[in-house]
Structure formats: C-alpha cells, structure tokens
Amino acid sequence: KQEVTQIPAALSVPEGENLVLNCSFTDSAIYNLQWFRQDPGKGLTSLLLIQSSQREQTSGRLNASLDKSSGRSTLYIAASQPGDSATYLCAVISRGSTLGRLYFGRGTQLTVWP
Amino acid sequence: NAGVTQTPKFQVLKTGQSMTLQCAQDMNHEYMSWYRQDPGMGLRLIHYSVGAGITDQGEVPNGYNVSRSTTEDFPLRLLSAAPSQTSVYFCASSRNQGFGDSYEQYFGPGTRLTVT
C-alpha cells in the first residue's frame, strides 16, 4: 500500500526566507504527484502537478521536483511571504491502485511571520 | 467557471438522520470523487465516478451512497448518520482518470458535517 510522508509537520519562518518542504512515498510506481495548499477551514487548492515522466514543475515562486526512483519530491518556495502561511499537502496517484485515487500525506503546516 | 461547488458548507445532523451532500462542477470533467478529511487520518477516498451512470467504491464507502445521473453532479448520500461520520467532506473532479492518464484534480471548498 502506498504511504506518503511529509517532513516537517510544521515550519515557522520569518518573511523572505527560501523554504523546502519534503514529501516521500513508498511505492515509486506512480502516475503523477500533485502539491496542494489548504488554508484553515478551506478546501484544497492545486499548486503544481508533476507527471511521472517529469523532473520538475515551476509556477511563480514555487518549484516542485520529483525523483521517482528514490520516492521523493520537494516543494521549494522562494522569498516566502506571510500570505504563504497554510498547510501544504502532497499526493500521488499510484499505478495499480483504485482508479484516480490520491494518496495524501498529512501535510506541512507553514507559518511565515512578518 | 465556478469550478467545483459544494453545498451545504456546514451541517449538523442527529444520529440516524439522512442527508445528501451536493457537488457540482462546470468544467465538463468526467472523473469525480468524494473524500473525507479527519484529524490524524488525512484524506480518504469514499466513492468515485468515471462518468455519468458509472460509480465505484473507494477506501471507506460504508454508510454512503452515490449516483451520477449527469456529468455535472455527483451527490453523496448519508443513509443513517452516525457520529463516526463527523468529518469534512471534499468533492473533487478531473478529466478522465484512465490508466496511463494523469490529470490534475480540483477540489471543492468542503462540507463540514457534525453528527450528534
């Protein structure tokens, strides 16, 4: 069974720092990996999708990398801002599992203070 | 585009009551699914659908029914609510998730359900 782990569980940094959030998964046979942002009491907002054949994706100050062979992904946030404060979730779709099912990590709760 | 919409946003039920959580999307997505999010458990798949008239069970389907009569709508029915169904429910959609396909999934804002 696919298991997704995110480290650290919580992170508190001053504004302006560059951040790395980590995600690891136990089964490297995946279709894709997706990073989400969740604000308190809100839904999930998709940030980046990395196909299994890709190594990275970029959107603005966000860069996500994927190393399928080692079962790892990182989300890099450049020049962090207080508005980046949220919980960040990574999720994978595994080959051979329930169609379209996302396996989620527990998330990294990020606080960026001014 | 409104994206994925869910109603109601909040609901309180008594044990044994039934209700339907509504989900709609306006992106013409074939694939729709329901997840529940619980502290310490993360998000777990309840049911999913690959198109109108086609549904299947996910990881935690007991106590829930679904149907898909149109591409746009995918309601989730609680048959006889139990306190264990207290959770936050999210609906998601994407282009069809065929094996070998890989599409971005979009989530609704959630329904916060409390069963007393």
Side-chain angles (χ1 to χ4, degrees):
Chain A
K1 180 187 172 185
Q2 178 73 268
E3 292 185 4
V4 180
T5 304
Q6 291 186 246
I7 295 174
L11 187 60
S12 181
V13 299
E15 182 176 9
E17 282 207 359
N18 299 323
L19 309 172
V20 175
L21 307 182
N22 296 293
C23 173
S24 62
F25 45 96
T26 54
D27 185 354
S28 61
I30 64 171
Y31 285 114
N32 65 32
L33 183 145
Q34 196 167 351
W35 282 93
F36 294 90
R37 168 186 172 139
Q38 186 174 28
D39 293 287
K42 303 294 185 182
L44 281 68
T45 300
S46 178
L47 298 173
L48 290 165
L49 172 75
I50 309 178
Q51 310 279 3
S52 62
S53 60
Q54 296 175 323
R55 297 284 293 184
E56 66 177 341
Q57 282 286 339
T58 298
S59 176
R61 294 183 294 108
L62 304 180
N63 176 277
S65 66
L66 173 65
D67 184 343
K68 206 171 58 166
S69 61
S70 67
R72 294 172 189 257
S73 176
T74 61
L75 179 66
Y76 177 82
I77 303 176
S80 58
Q81 303 170 358
D84 294 331
S85 298
T87 296
Y88 291 80
L89 298 163
C90 76
V92 300
I93 294 183
S94 290
R95 295 179 184 270
S97 70
T98 301
L99 194 64
R101 177 188 171 182
L102 286 163
Y103 288 86
F104 282 89
R106 300 286 175 87
T108 293
Q109 186 174 358
L110 174 64
T111 303
V112 182
W113 41 275
Chain B
N1 281 356
V4 181
T5 58
Q6 293 183 238
T7 57
K9 291 186 179 179
F10 301 94
Q11 183 70 48
V12 178
L13 291 178
K14 296 184 188 298
T15 297
Q17 287 185 317
S18 63
M19 78 159 295
T20 299
L21 279 62
Q22 301 292 342
C23 173
Q25 51 87 15
D26 61 359
M27 297 174 281
N28 202 31
H29 284 167
E30 300 96 340
Y31 184 90
M32 297 185 74
S33 57
W34 278 99
Y35 287 82
R36 59 178 289 173
Q37 184 177 36
D38 302 292
M41 301 292 292
L43 285 109
R44 294 177 291 171
L45 180 66
I46 305 171
H47 285 285
Y48 68 97
S49 167
V50 298
I54 307 170
T55 64
D56 208 341
Q57 297 181 350
E59 181 185 7
V60 288
N62 292 341
Y64 307 96
N65 270 359
V66 292
S67 60
R68 183 97 178 269
S69 56
T70 68
T71 299
E72 294 78 19
D73 301 298
F74 190 42
L76 179 71
R77 297 184 188 85
L78 279 69
L79 308 173
S80 177
S84 61
Q85 293 178 304
T86 294
S87 187
V88 182
Y89 291 85
F90 290 104
C91 179
S93 77
S94 74
R95 290 174 60 190
N96 209 6
Q97 295 281 345
F99 287 110
D101 296 334
S102 181
Y103 298 117
E104 190 170 11
Q105 296 200 31
Y106 298 88
F107 280 72
T111 294
R112 283 146 187 81
L113 176 68
T114 301
V115 183
T116 62

